[in-house]
Amino acid sequence: MHQATPAAALPRGATALFAVACGTAVANVYFAQPLLVALGNEFAIAPAALGAVVTLTQIGYGLGLFLIVPLGDRLDPRRLITAQLLLLAAALLFVATATSSAALLAGMASVGLLAVVTQSLVACAASFTEPARRGRVVGTVTSGVVTGILLARTVSGLLGDLAGWRSVYLTSAVLTCAAALALYRVVPRRDTPAPTLGYGRLLTSTVRLFTRERLPRLRALFALLVFAAFSTLWSSVTLVLSDPPMSLSSTAIGAFGLLGAAGALAANVAGRLNDRGHANRTTGIGLALLTLSWLPLALTRQSLWALAAGVVLLDLAVQAVHVTNQSLIHALHPEAGSRLIGGYMVFYSIGSAVGALSATTLYATAGWSAVCVLGAGFSGLALVIWALTERGSAHPGGRKGGSARPAGKMSTTTHDPADARPRG
């Protein structure tokens, strides 16, 4: 299969706008983490059940990945992305005005469902970029995602202390509307006909792509385990830092997110390494660092410096693996990029939900040491799977390690790659 060269390209400077928009959208999934204690106090949610706030957001995100993101392969991306952002702004307003725990949880699930516009933007940026630069562009856009995740905790903690938790969601609603307007002016129209798949077939073809292709299945498994580890840390560390003897404020807790800025650097570097053919090696190093990060994290109660070191290692490792995963699976079938990335991110969402619920429940019953064992278990399992499958892992272009396939001529076929013969 020839890899399609985009018929239309992103305007100059649009990659940076995509990165900012991605960061703004994905931040909504993580705003609640430094605010869990405040939310629990206002809505009388027990500490052991606070993980449900994060889990429901991730469940909504998972549904959106399967039900909404694949539409990017069928609909005009400009209209789809703009509509998602405007609906997301409405969901944020609903959360900001919630008066009961039921309304709060329903609003969080809706925010998660619509925040998948982040992945629609990643797939759109990749589809409008020539293959030789695709890893770099995906890395740049994903660095915006990383920055959004980091700033989400810092900004929500600061605003939560200054003006209450509701101000966080009101501010985000305004910024989301601004992003919708800017992107409507920038996102190119699709110059080639979209596949004429019905909605039902579009969804089932996503399942078939993962059933037939080994590479996305393996990368999706990495995503599930890596983000289970990621969520294990960030869903429970708020409880550790807010409990005596530390008793840190929401602002101080949120500030720890800034220490993961190395993750943004890792996203760019990983994208460039993928373009040069080192995807498999990058994955192995990332998973090894992720496993090692739990050693300093286990010492959090004794030293905030240990926590800082662990956060840097964990965020760097997670983003390196994540960018590599997305670059590889999009290159497999660029014409089905939205479906592949959406399906892959379903596993990200499952892992995040499992990590959040498991970590907060385990912390309430067994403490921080048990949470660190759980996180190290997720990380170590991913590393073992990589080691067992590394010899048979190849880039979709056939070169082990993973550089982008050479660009071919623009394909004008509407053939559905999900109907192709299975590989691997």
Side-chain angles (χ1 to χ4, degrees):
M1 185 201 78
H2 288 293
Q3 185 161 341
T5 300
L10 292 178
R12 190 177 188 85
T15 303
L17 176 59
F18 270 63
V20 171
C22 279
T24 301
V26 77
N28 296 296
V29 181
Y30 297 93
F31 278 147
Q33 289 179 349
L35 304 173
L36 286 176
V37 174
L39 292 171
N41 291 338
E42 177 154 348
F43 294 101
I45 302 173
L50 281 174
V53 175
V54 177
T55 299
L56 279 175
T57 307
Q58 292 294 346
I59 289 173
Y61 200 83
L63 289 173
L65 290 167
F66 184 71
L67 298 174
I68 298 176
V69 174
L71 289 171
D73 291 332
R74 186 171 185 266
L75 303 179
D76 175 30
R78 181 166 71 168
R79 292 183 178 181
L80 177 63
I81 288 169
T82 303
Q84 282 181 261
L85 286 169
L86 293 176
L87 289 172
L88 175 58
L92 290 166
L93 287 174
F94 185 83
V95 169
T97 56
T99 56
S100 67
S101 59
L104 173 72
L105 295 176
M108 290 294 187
S110 299
V111 166
L113 180 73
L114 293 160
V116 295
V117 67
T118 302
Q119 298 311 314
S120 297
L121 286 163
V122 173
C124 180
S127 68
F128 286 118
T129 304
E130 63 272 19
R133 295 181 59 251
R134 188 166 288 141
R136 196 177 314 166
V137 169
V138 170
T140 299
V141 174
T142 303
S143 71
V145 178
V146 179
T147 304
I149 294 171
L150 300 176
L151 290 179
R153 302 187 185 99
T154 305
V155 171
S156 66
L158 179 61
L159 284 179
D161 281 342
L162 293 177
W165 68 267
R166 295 179 190 275
S167 67
V168 176
Y169 293 94
L170 287 171
T171 301
S172 184
V174 173
L175 293 176
T176 301
C177 287
L181 177 61
L183 285 166
Y184 186 77
R185 295 172 176 270
V186 168
V187 176
R189 290 184 179 275
R190 180 181 275 126
D191 291 343
T192 55
T196 56
L197 297 176
Y199 183 61
R201 190 180 173 197
L202 195 70
L203 298 184
T204 57
S205 70
T206 302
V207 177
R208 289 201 302 275
L209 283 166
F210 279 80
T211 300
R212 294 173 183 272
E213 304 280 3
R214 178 178 181 271
L215 186 143
R217 290 198 304 270
L218 179 61
R219 292 288 158 173
L221 179 57
F222 287 153
L224 189 153
L225 293 170
V226 163
F227 282 98
F230 182 85
S231 189
T232 293
L233 171 66
W234 288 112
S235 297
S236 58
V237 74
T238 299
L239 305 177
V240 179
L241 297 178
S242 61
D243 282 349
M246 297 180 180
S247 302
L248 299 182
S249 66
S250 295
T251 300
I253 294 171
F256 274 94
L258 292 177
L259 294 173
L265 174 64
N268 274 309
V269 173
R272 292 175 184 272
L273 288 174
N274 179 74
D275 289 340
R276 295 174 184 174
H278 304 298
N280 237 27
R281 187 178 305 169
T282 302
T283 302
I285 293 172
L287 293 175
L289 291 177
L290 181 64
T291 305
L292 288 173
S293 71
W294 291 98
L295 293 177
L297 288 172
L299 302 175
T300 294
R301 287 190 179 279
Q302 288 74 43
S303 169
L304 291 179
W305 288 108
L307 172 62
V311 165
V312 169
L313 282 176
L314 183 138
D315 276 7
L316 188 155
V318 167
Q319 298 309 325
V321 176
H322 185 42
V323 170
T324 303
N325 287 347
Q326 291 186 98
S327 298
L328 287 177
I329 64 170
H330 191 281
L332 187 65
H333 290 297
E335 69 276 25
S338 291
R339 278 170 283 172
L340 282 168
I341 287 181
Y344 160 80
M345 290 296 295
V346 167
F347 291 86
Y348 151 95
S349 189
I350 292 171
S352 295
V354 168
L357 194 58
S358 300
T360 52
T361 302
L362 193 59
Y363 179 76
T365 57
W368 177 245
S369 295
V371 170
C372 291
V373 171
L374 175 67
F378 287 134
S379 308
L381 179 57
L383 180 60
V384 169
I385 293 172
W386 173 83
L388 293 175
T389 58
E390 191 271 341
R391 285 182 177 271
S393 295
H395 185 269
R399 284 205 291 161
K400 186 176 176 181
S403 65
R405 292 182 188 178
K409 293 182 179 180
M410 177 68 181
S411 173
T412 57
T413 180
T414 57
H415 169 68
D416 182 3
D419 294 331
R421 292 175 60 188
R423 285 192 254 173

